[in-house]
Amino acid sequence: MEQHRVVIIGGGFGGLAVAKGLRDPAIAGTLIDRRNFHLFQPLLYQVATGGLSPANISAPLRSVLRRQKNVQVLLAKVVGIDTAAGQVQLEQGVLPFDTLIVAAGMRHHYFGHDDWARLAPGLKTIEEATEIRRRVLSAFEQAERETDPAAVRRWLTFVVIGGGPTGVELSGAIAELSRHTLRGNFRSIDPASAHVVLIEGNDRVLPPFPPKLSQKAQQSLERLGVEVRCGVRVTSIEADRVHLSHNAGSDQIATPNVFWAAGVQASPLGAAVAAATGAKLDRSGRVQVQPDCSIAGHPHIFVIGDLAALNDEHGQPLPGLAPVATQQGQYLARLLQRRLHGKETPPFRYVDRGSMATIGRASAVAQTGKLHFSGFLAWLAWLFIHVYFLIDFQNRMLVLFQWGWNYFTRNRSARLITGVDGMPPLLPQPADVTACDFPIPTAEQTAGKASDK
Amino acid sequence: MEQHRVVIIGGGFGGLAVAKGLRDPAIAGTLIDRRNFHLFQPLLYQVATGGLSPANISAPLRSVLRRQKNVQVLLAKVVGIDTAAGQVQLEQGVLPFDTLIVAAGMRHHYFGHDDWARLAPGLKTIEEATEIRRRVLSAFEQAERETDPAAVRRWLTFVVIGGGPTGVELSGAIAELSRHTLRGNFRSIDPASAHVVLIEGNDRVLPPFPPKLSQKAQQSLERLGVEVRCGVRVTSIEADRVHLSHNAGSDQIATPNVFWAAGVQASPLGAAVAAATGAKLDRSGRVQVQPDCSIAGHPHIFVIGDLAALNDEHGQPLPGLAPVATQQGQYLARLLQRRLHGKETPPFRYVDRGSMATIGRASAVAQTGKLHFSGFLAWLAWLFIHVYFLIDFQNRMLVLFQWGWNYFTRNRSARLITGVDGMPPLLPQPADVTACDFPIPTAEQTAGKASDK
């Protein structure tokens, strides 16, 4: 009997869940990704602040799927989809499919200001996380070597744009790093004098959470020394400052350290799917799918995860969260196997087990159903759920150990400035302060090819 | 009372040992390094083969020295030494010293073929280790996508040049990776068919060890599937092949995967010291020092570690090993503090506690005094000694845990292909096979500045 060929694009939470669920030997699965590892993105901010190593939150895709002989992994870049021929077009060659699942996720969106990407890196890839780590740690080094107090203050100012979970967690971790981890490390500066600012355009941080938890989160951040500014929007970013606008007018913050946790938009593959199938895209480029995650008129083409636009049973759009992607992936694996036996499957239903965000050490906010909680208990819950959902058992142990260690010593041992053969430049003199930028190209520039972000 | 200013260049084993030993508050120490962390180089090959994460073998210098209030860390690049003014010249500014200790170490030496650096990366920095990791893992990915058996064979051939400890350990680890770690990970290729070749110009591997241990090491390597070729020299390296010459004539190995563990030469700071003090350099650029590690005629300028050329009491040159550097550093810290109190210190004497090299899992060779041993016991000794000498307690635990894990599961979880936004290119068609090179610039090129290697 010929096998049913299932091609999955993307090894994130959604794509990996499908691949792991395809146990029927009548199916031949291919998981395509541009990277050789699954990345546990929710913990990327810990890599960016030296708490964990990149490998601790990654799992080689081949390793995860090595026992599943009916699934193969292909490192490749997808450039298009040919529905008529039933083929995925790769940068080199084509790959035929009977069923196609697109789970290519989202990327940063700088609201039309692509030049901001270089000035304010986001936090989606390992390379971006180590770049943020390099910038944060280098800023303290620069400050230590400065004599001009204004320059010291600039280097010790950190602005995080976007008050969603990533922005909250990143700003909290930078504050902790400066208040605790780096204590006693410097001789000229007091790292605890660092000024960490979190900018959110909405009227409160963590907008999807209940207002009370947003307030708790803000209080926890402020206790850590983060200045939380809500209702504030970024109007422009320069190499040495960020311009803001708000109800009371506009102002600016002088700093070269700006990090982006604000907008996301769909992978360009969303548009490729739309072009091939006639599917509609929403404002962020997400692909409108049917209740079973398939595309109208194309029952063998599915989109899941962040890239899919789908409403829940109350008509609310499903959020772009790991649990949604994972559940959709598991659902699809079940659906495909039932279909092989001629069985129907009821529409996808998201089971919301709650959401949470952590704020520094021993503090978090969480909601599950009607239950809202915060503080140490929420943090413990956050910790164990995140460890539990790490793919690799070894990584679970390594992360637990390092968190235990960090908890008691407040140390973060992965504080490496890497990616540079040498060291960062001194802050230029005030005269040419607009040139004050790190000389290191972004990962895209490094790769010597056009970015598709 | 004015403090005695001690400037230490280099945060490796030697420089860090001096800094840690300077406990006298009458001394103001400054440790200069271009990187913000101490690197445990002997384990770098484990990063290159996915067994450990970079942070596991690194310790932030500021963190190591945070309690030593009389020592500061300065991230800077030294460009020269002015003995008359008693100043170290930095890329930006100068730093005055009363005593200067140069511990800048060695770098790769391609025997005048600097263009080989790009084709055959060495293993001295974190960036080089992750680059080798990227090339090794990408080669298996390339092979998996190839249909031409000759191309598969090229990708699955790995050549390590240099049969010293680094070359032995790296080739053994690549063989283990292919034979065990990657088992079942691929669908088209058998990773165990990889051909790992170790090239050594001498007539045996590990030349400084007793011949019997060299033989044991070679047997262990061969048991792992490494082809050991002694008495063979590299005459040229191209993007897709390496040319060799030997007694029986010459031949070549077709592979893009060539790694360099052969020559080292002194840091350019050795020449700067010689220019400033009139000190003599040996053939590799090492600085000739007096029995107390000072430079003749300059009792306040010292060179230690790999950069120093010094004979032991039998007239034999001290080897470029971590224990020599560490002992010299400890010796100097003692000498400087005795000098403050007008006391003489007898010449430096290296206490040789032995040397060892590991060959894959559960095998090593070791000698201490007249005692030579090999196999599992030597491996256990190797393991505990290396863990013991890691600087950071947390890292000791992390490394022990990961080694224990790797030992029982043969897994290596840090198998990330990073540094590329995307994936490696396919092997080009045979017609343009000479262009078959990875498009990724070296760390030096990335930094956008001239390499000083």
Side-chain angles (χ1 to χ4, degrees):
Chain A
M1 192 187 88
E2 205 153 284
Q3 284 180 306
H4 184 83
R5 297 162 303 179
V6 176
V7 171
I8 306 157
I9 304 175
F13 289 103
L16 194 54
V18 181
K20 288 169 80 175
L22 292 179
R23 300 281 174 173
D24 195 318
I27 289 176
T30 302
L31 176 62
I32 308 180
D33 202 294
R34 298 175 63 188
R35 308 306 297 261
N36 76 326
F37 53 88
H38 167 79
L39 177 64
F40 194 82
Q41 275 185 354
L43 290 178
L44 212 42
Y45 80 97
Q46 297 235 350
V47 172
T49 51
L52 293 174
S53 282
N56 300 151
I57 60 164
S58 311
L61 288 170
R62 294 192 185 283
S63 190
V64 176
L65 296 169
R66 72 187 176 284
R67 295 230 168 74
Q68 228 163 310
K69 298 299 178 198
N70 67 326
V71 175
Q72 64 169 331
V73 174
L74 182 66
L75 250 73
K77 183 176 174 183
V78 174
V79 294
I81 292 155
D82 183 343
T83 49
Q87 286 180 338
V88 169
Q89 293 155 336
L90 307 175
E91 214 167 29
Q92 317 240 355
V94 294
L95 189 70
F97 63 83
D98 299 312
T99 292
L100 175 66
I101 297 156
V102 184
M106 306 288 277
R107 47 199 62 210
H108 298 301
H109 180 42
Y110 288 89
F111 306 129
H113 296 277
D114 290 346
D115 53 310
W116 294 0
R118 193 177 56 88
L119 303 170
L123 196 53
K124 282 268 178 208
T125 65
I126 289 285
E127 284 77 9
E128 287 169 332
T130 51
E131 171 64 13
I132 291 180
R133 181 177 78 183
R134 191 182 71 72
R135 292 191 187 205
V136 170
L137 296 173
S138 297
F140 286 98
E141 296 294 339
Q142 302 281 15
E144 173 83 349
R145 288 185 288 164
E146 275 294 342
T147 45
D148 173 15
V152 170
R153 182 148 182 90
R154 275 203 297 279
W155 282 116
L156 293 187
T157 299
F158 300 88
V159 174
V160 176
I161 299 168
T166 300
V168 165
E169 292 172 340
L170 182 61
S171 59
I174 294 174
E176 277 229 325
L177 184 76
S178 67
R179 275 21 169 203
H180 300 290
T181 308
L182 296 180
R183 178 180 290 164
N185 274 208
F186 294 87
R187 300 293 177 259
S188 309
I189 58 162
D190 175 13
S193 68
H195 182 207
V196 184
V197 189
L198 178 64
I199 307 286
E200 165 60 40
N202 246 288
D203 62 349
R204 58 191 174 92
V205 296
L206 300 178
F209 282 72
K212 211 174 148 191
L213 287 184
S214 293
Q215 198 190 324
K216 289 266 187 203
Q218 178 162 349
Q219 286 166 358
S220 299
L221 283 170
E222 286 167 349
R223 218 173 299 128
L224 279 173
V226 177
E227 182 189 352
V228 180
R229 296 185 63 179
C230 294
V232 173
R233 287 146 52 107
V234 174
T235 53
S236 96
I237 304 176
E238 291 174 64
D240 66 332
R241 64 194 59 241
V242 47
H243 297 267
L244 308 170
S245 99
H246 39 74
N247 278 340
S250 68
D251 63 334
Q252 48 176 263
I253 303 177
T255 177
N257 313 308
V258 184
F259 308 114
W260 190 260
V264 287
Q265 70 181 349
S267 153
L269 275 183
V273 171
T277 62
K280 288 208 180 74
L281 299 179
D282 78 358
R283 211 166 45 110
S284 305
R286 273 178 273 250
V287 182
Q288 302 275 8
V289 295
Q290 305 287 100
D292 66 351
C293 300
S294 71
I295 287 175
H298 294 270
H300 293 292
I301 301 183
F302 299 84
V303 180
I304 59 172
D306 289 5
L307 189 58
L310 179 61
N311 289 344
D312 68 11
E313 62 272 26
H314 312 298
Q316 291 297 311
L318 288 173
L321 293 174
V324 176
T326 303
Q327 290 180 28
Q328 287 178 333
Q330 291 163 341
Y331 165 82
L332 262 200
R334 210 166 48 239
L335 180 144
L336 293 179
Q337 286 164 115
R338 290 171 59 90
R339 217 182 238 185
L340 281 186
H341 302 101
K343 292 187 201 156
E344 293 282 313
T345 308
F348 171 72
R349 253 187 96 158
Y350 174 51
V351 182
D352 184 358
R353 299 213 175 79
S355 44
M356 48 202 345
T358 179
I359 307 115
R361 172 180 175 259
S363 178
V365 294
Q367 66 160 350
T368 166
K370 291 222 161 71
L371 189 64
H372 302 165
F373 56 122
S374 58
F376 186 72
L377 202 70
W379 180 74
L380 269 188
W382 175 90
L383 190 151
F384 282 104
I385 286 172
H386 279 74
V387 167
Y388 178 80
F389 279 107
L390 276 175
I391 291 293
D392 189 274
F393 181 77
Q394 183 184 1
N395 278 342
R396 278 180 217 152
M397 294 296 104
L398 288 172
V399 168
L400 255 191
F401 174 79
Q402 287 177 90
W403 283 353
W405 187 261
N406 298 356
Y407 180 79
F408 289 109
T409 68
R410 296 197 182 251
N411 195 9
R412 291 160 180 264
S413 67
R415 301 206 307 277
L416 313 185
I417 300 178
T418 53
V420 211
D421 184 35
M423 35 107 34
L426 277 174
L427 188 72
Q429 299 312 307
D432 59 2
V433 81
T434 51
C436 136
D437 185 33
F438 288 88
I440 306 310
T442 63
E444 290 80 357
Q445 293 170 312
T446 301
K449 40 185 164 178
S451 160
D452 58 357
K453 282 192 191 171
Chain B
M1 192 190 87
E2 205 153 283
Q3 284 180 306
H4 184 83
R5 296 162 305 179
V6 176
V7 170
I8 306 156
I9 303 174
F13 290 103
L16 193 55
V18 180
K20 288 169 80 175
L22 292 179
R23 300 280 174 172
D24 195 320
I27 289 177
T30 302
L31 177 62
I32 308 179
D33 201 294
R34 298 174 64 187
R35 307 307 297 262
N36 77 326
F37 52 88
H38 167 79
L39 177 64
F40 194 82
Q41 275 184 355
L43 290 179
L44 213 41
Y45 80 96
Q46 296 235 349
V47 173
T49 50
L52 294 175
S53 281
N56 300 150
I57 60 164
S58 311
L61 289 170
R62 295 193 183 281
S63 189
V64 177
L65 297 168
R66 72 188 177 283
R67 296 230 167 75
Q68 228 164 310
K69 297 300 178 196
N70 67 327
V71 176
Q72 65 168 330
V73 174
L74 182 65
L75 249 72
K77 183 177 175 183
V78 174
V79 293
I81 293 154
D82 182 342
T83 49
Q87 285 179 338
V88 170
Q89 292 155 335
L90 307 175
E91 213 167 29
Q92 316 241 354
V94 295
L95 188 71
F97 64 82
D98 299 313
T99 292
L100 175 65
I101 296 156
V102 183
M106 305 290 276
R107 50 198 60 212
H108 297 301
H109 180 42
Y110 288 90
F111 307 128
H113 297 278
D114 289 346
D115 53 311
W116 294 359
R118 193 177 56 87
L119 302 171
L123 196 53
K124 282 268 177 208
T125 66
I126 289 285
E127 284 77 9
E128 287 170 331
T130 51
E131 171 63 13
I132 291 180
R133 181 176 77 183
R134 191 183 69 71
R135 292 190 186 205
V136 170
L137 296 173
S138 297
F140 286 97
E141 296 294 339
Q142 301 281 16
E144 173 83 349
R145 287 185 289 163
E146 276 295 343
T147 44
D148 172 16
V152 170
R153 179 144 184 95
R154 276 203 295 279
W155 282 116
L156 293 188
T157 299
F158 299 88
V159 173
V160 176
I161 299 168
T166 301
V168 165
E169 291 172 341
L170 182 61
S171 59
I174 294 174
E176 277 231 322
L177 184 76
S178 67
R179 278 12 170 209
H180 300 291
T181 308
L182 296 180
R183 178 179 292 165
N185 275 209
F186 294 86
R187 299 293 177 261
S188 309
I189 57 162
D190 175 13
S193 68
H195 182 208
V196 184
V197 189
L198 177 64
I199 306 286
E200 165 60 41
N202 245 288
D203 62 349
R204 58 191 175 93
V205 296
L206 301 178
F209 282 72
K212 211 175 149 190
L213 287 185
S214 294
Q215 198 191 326
K216 289 265 186 202
Q218 177 161 350
Q219 285 165 358
S220 298
L221 283 170
E222 286 167 350
R223 217 173 300 129
L224 279 173
V226 177
E227 182 190 352
V228 180
R229 297 185 62 179
C230 294
V232 173
R233 288 145 53 106
V234 173
T235 52
S236 97
I237 304 176
E238 291 173 64
D240 67 332
R241 63 194 59 241
V242 49
H243 296 267
L244 308 169
S245 98
H246 39 74
N247 278 342
S250 67
D251 64 332
Q252 47 177 267
I253 303 177
T255 178
N257 313 308
V258 184
F259 307 114
W260 190 260
V264 287
Q265 69 181 351
S267 153
L269 275 183
V273 170
T277 62
K280 289 208 180 73
L281 299 180
D282 78 358
R283 212 166 44 110
S284 305
R286 273 179 274 250
V287 182
Q288 302 275 8
V289 295
Q290 305 286 100
D292 67 351
C293 300
S294 73
I295 287 173
H298 293 270
H300 293 292
I301 300 183
F302 299 84
V303 180
I304 60 172
D306 289 3
L307 190 57
L310 179 61
N311 289 345
D312 67 12
E313 62 272 26
H314 311 297
Q316 291 297 312
L318 287 173
L321 293 174
V324 176
T326 304
Q327 289 180 31
Q328 288 178 332
Q330 292 163 340
Y331 166 83
L332 263 200
R334 209 165 51 238
L335 179 144
L336 294 178
Q337 285 165 114
R338 290 172 59 89
R339 217 183 238 184
L340 281 185
H341 302 100
K343 291 187 200 155
E344 293 281 318
T345 308
F348 171 72
R349 251 187 98 159
Y350 174 51
V351 183
D352 183 359
R353 298 213 176 79
S355 44
M356 48 202 346
T358 179
I359 307 115
R361 171 179 176 260
S363 178
V365 295
Q367 66 160 349
T368 167
K370 292 224 161 69
L371 188 64
H372 302 165
F373 56 122
S374 59
F376 186 71
L377 203 71
W379 180 75
L380 268 189
W382 176 91
L383 190 151
F384 282 104
I385 286 173
H386 279 74
V387 167
Y388 178 80
F389 279 106
L390 276 174
I391 291 292
D392 189 275
F393 181 76
Q394 183 185 358
N395 279 342
R396 278 180 216 150
M397 294 296 105
L398 288 173
V399 168
L400 254 190
F401 173 78
Q402 286 177 92
W403 284 353
W405 188 261
N406 298 356
Y407 179 79
F408 289 109
T409 67
R410 297 200 182 247
N411 195 7
R412 292 160 178 263
S413 67
R415 302 205 307 276
L416 312 185
I417 300 178
T418 55
V420 211
D421 184 34
M423 37 107 33
L426 276 174
L427 187 72
Q429 298 312 305
D432 60 1
V433 79
T434 51
C436 137
D437 186 33
F438 287 87
I440 306 311
T442 64
E444 290 82 355
Q445 294 170 312
T446 302
K449 40 184 164 179
S451 161
D452 57 0
K453 280 189 192 172

